Amino acid sequence: MRDFAGKIAVITGGGTGMGRELARQLVAEGCNVAMCDVSAEAMAETKRLCEVEKLPQGLRITTHVADVSIEDHYKRFRDELIEQQATDKIHLLFNNAGIGGGGSLFTNTREQWERTFNICWGGVYLGVRTFLPLLVKADEAHIINTSSVNGFWASVGMGVSHTAYASAKFAVKGFTEALINDLRLNAPHVKCSVVMPGHIGTSIVSNSRLVQNGSDELTADELKQARQRLQGQGVDVAKLSDADIQKLALDRARTFLEEAPTTAAAAARIILDGVKADRWRILVGDDAHRLDEHVRKTPEEAYTPEFYQRIVAATGWKIG
């Protein structure tokens, strides 16, 4: 698919971050966009940003409130898209929505763990299941599933558990790789790509807390985990109050967004260029390339403190 003009794209998690930037760049290339998110307000802002420049006549941008972990929401999204976009087919499916959290089988509740897993993995699976018939009806189509560097390296540092997110992202990677041959055999005009971003400047840290807890406030379990993470980084947590920990968590969310080595806009451009080049494996960011190289070179050392220290030095990561 060499260009996107006149095509129809579905984007999950279109309200913020990479989803918002994918929408903006696709619209700028003349592509119709149907996005979903749990936040109508966030999608309204994405749509406003897309419409800052006058849209070509007939170009459609539609927004749909949906939780990607719930199949009935997806079905409603599909039915609304068919009506509002006046189509029975789509050309691009960006399974982009995701949250963090639920890192530990010990210190997180089962509900928190499964909430993360069901959005980050279930949302991709249900997205493909729901929209595959519409993709198959197109002359050419492409499925783009967002995994992560955590889809080949299940860690964010020595001081924090990361099981739900990493498990989901490994599943997305394996699912997409398996789709390559499944599509080749049964729908050869439909391609797929797995996207593996490194540290991208998005609001996923703060958004995840809002989805999981309904507020920016850390729960008692999250306070405990934050202390554990800081202690693993050599911080004397005995001197920190809960209020101090809460402030550090807010600062961490801000730093993740503002001091990332790759912006969401740059990430979206890398992804779209990868789709145009028909690459099935799209690493996003220099840190993703460096981490991939290190894991492949010394896989048995991937979860040692020494390996993590080398990665931090090589990538310049400022947070764990």
Side-chain angles (χ1 to χ4, degrees), residues 242-272:
D242 285 353
D244 293 330
I245 299 293
Q246 175 68 45
K247 183 178 183 302
L248 287 171
L250 293 174
D251 287 343
R252 182 170 180 264
R254 179 193 58 76
T255 299
F256 192 94
L257 171 64
E258 297 177 1
E259 299 183 16
T262 306
T263 66
R269 176 46 50 201
I270 292 168
I271 294 167
L272 294 179

Side-chain angles (χ1 to χ4, degrees), residues 2 27 67 125 141 145 173 179 196 228 259 265 271 276 282 320:
R2 301 304 179 190
V27 167
D67 180 331
Y125 169 69
N145 295 332
K173 178 177 179 289
L179 269 179
M196 291 174 285
Q228 185 182 52
E259 299 183 16
I271 294 167
K276 289 179 179 178
I282 304 172

Side-chain angles (χ1 to χ4, degrees), residues 12 38 66-71 73-74 95-102 109-127 163-169 171-172 211-212:
T12 69
V38 293
D67 180 331
V68 297
S69 67
I70 301 172
E71 187 168 11
H73 285 205
Y74 252 128
N95 285 310
N96 164 79
I99 64 167
T109 65
R110 178 169 178 168
E111 290 74 20
Q112 289 174 321
W113 202 99
E114 292 184 357
R115 180 76 172 135
T116 298
F117 188 81
N118 290 341
I119 289 174
C120 292
W121 154 243
V124 171
Y125 169 69
L126 291 174
T163 61
Y165 186 85
S167 298
K169 295 304 185 179
V172 171
V211 171
Q212 293 278 14

